[in-house]
Amino acid sequence: MSDAAQPTAAEVRAAAEAVKTALDRHLAAVERRSGEDDPAVYEAFNQLAAAAEVYDELLYDRYDEVTPFEIPGAEEMPPYTGPEEPNALSVLIRRDYAVSDQQRLLAQARRVEAADDDSAGEDVTGTVHGALGVLFGEFEPDEIASRHKEFGLEEGDSTLWVVAADEPAEPGEWLEAPFEQADAQRVVCRFDVSAVFDDDADLGDEDDDEDVRVVRVVRGVGDVEDVEEVDLDEDDENEDDENEDER
């Protein structure tokens, strides 16, 4: 790491103080715990792990030194405590994108708007947020994921959680806060996709890091953890060929 990119001694010291504060909060939560699965203890544990990880990284970057702490990875989850035979389930999906080509994004949105007779006289594609609204209103999320480069987007991390429930939710019950209180202990299976797993899995050459993302099964059948290499260039070439055939 270059000198310009190194954290300052003050930043390392501040991270160490944050670890001390997180330790105190974790101990206090444990002392006040209301039961074996107290959510306050779980939250304090995650905060302590995050603070320790930041300190560990800054300490190494500044002084080339490590700590004796073993930071739990994102793949580690609390044990499953949901029903053995769920009567309902929720599928929670998050996909991150970066807007890599604004002109392409705007152009695609204008094509959609031009083909929509109901939008005559409206101009909602003059801004990036307006164009995003048009595209995500026109195309299914899975189609945008498979054609993201056409829309001027670059894929980031993504995750999919299948969460067990005792009973189906009532219509409209959770619409005001759909992503609040996702219970990790009721996750039946979870799949994370990120380029960061490529280093852990050692699946490809270093030169290919930018072209490879890895699917990690965080919890599957029998809580088996696995990784799968995904060659993004190959996928994009196949998508381009299919889109060319459609034209």
Side-chain angles (χ1 to χ4, degrees):
M1 176 177 290
S2 66
D3 292 339
Q6 286 184 346
T8 65
E11 288 174 328
V12 179
R13 173 62 62 181
E17 293 298 327
V19 173
K20 297 174 187 177
T21 300
L23 273 170
D24 290 337
R25 290 175 178 170
H26 181 258
L27 178 57
V30 171
E31 291 172 337
R32 296 193 306 266
R33 72 187 312 160
S34 58
E36 184 176 350
D37 298 322
D38 191 332
V41 175
Y42 184 64
E43 181 180 358
F45 172 87
N46 287 335
Q47 292 175 349
L48 175 57
E53 184 173 10
V54 171
Y55 172 64
D56 190 78
E57 291 178 353
L58 292 179
L59 186 71
Y60 181 79
D61 291 343
R62 176 68 185 183
Y63 299 110
D64 197 23
E65 187 57 73
V66 297
T67 68
F69 307 135
E70 181 179 352
I71 307 303
E75 70 276 7
E76 296 186 13
M77 298 184 68
Y80 177 76
T81 61
E84 290 298 324
E85 298 181 1
N87 294 317
L89 58 89
S90 295
V91 180
L92 310 179
I93 301 175
R94 172 172 173 169
R95 296 182 177 126
D96 281 5
Y97 297 94
V99 178
S100 57
D101 190 334
Q102 287 192 14
Q103 296 307 313
R104 176 173 291 190
L105 174 70
L106 295 171
Q108 289 282 18
R110 291 190 185 104
R111 291 191 186 97
V112 171
E113 194 176 43
D116 186 359
D117 295 335
D118 295 335
S119 66
E122 299 179 9
D123 184 17
V124 298
T125 58
T127 63
V128 170
H129 74 270
L132 288 170
V134 169
L135 292 176
F136 278 87
E138 176 70 16
F139 300 100
E140 293 290 334
D142 287 344
E143 184 171 3
I144 290 179
S146 65
R147 299 172 55 189
H148 60 279
K149 285 196 172 182
E150 288 184 50
F151 302 126
L153 302 175
E154 180 181 340
E155 284 186 310
D157 289 354
S158 66
T159 188
L160 182 150
W161 293 22
V162 179
V163 183
D166 296 315
E167 299 293 340
E170 295 294 329
E173 180 180 341
W174 47 258
L175 290 178
E176 291 187 2
F179 306 114
E180 193 175 63
Q181 301 297 327
D183 190 348
Q185 292 186 298
R186 283 180 169 251
V187 173
V188 176
C189 54
R190 171 180 166 181
F191 307 92
D192 293 345
V193 183
S194 177
V196 73
F197 299 142
D198 183 42
D199 294 334
D200 298 336
D202 196 23
L203 294 174
D205 296 330
E206 293 183 359
D207 294 341
D208 297 332
D209 283 349
E210 294 182 357
D211 301 325
V212 174
R213 292 188 307 145
V214 173
V215 180
R216 172 166 288 179
V217 181
V218 178
R219 175 180 290 162
V221 178
D223 289 347
V224 176
E225 294 180 10
D226 196 6
V227 291
E228 175 185 354
E229 184 176 7
V230 180
D231 188 333
L232 297 185
D233 282 348
E234 181 179 347
D235 290 345
D236 292 335
E237 289 173 2
N238 293 337
E239 291 166 12
D240 292 341
D241 292 341
E242 292 174 2
N243 294 331
E244 188 65 31
D245 292 340
E246 291 176 358
R247 297 190 190 97

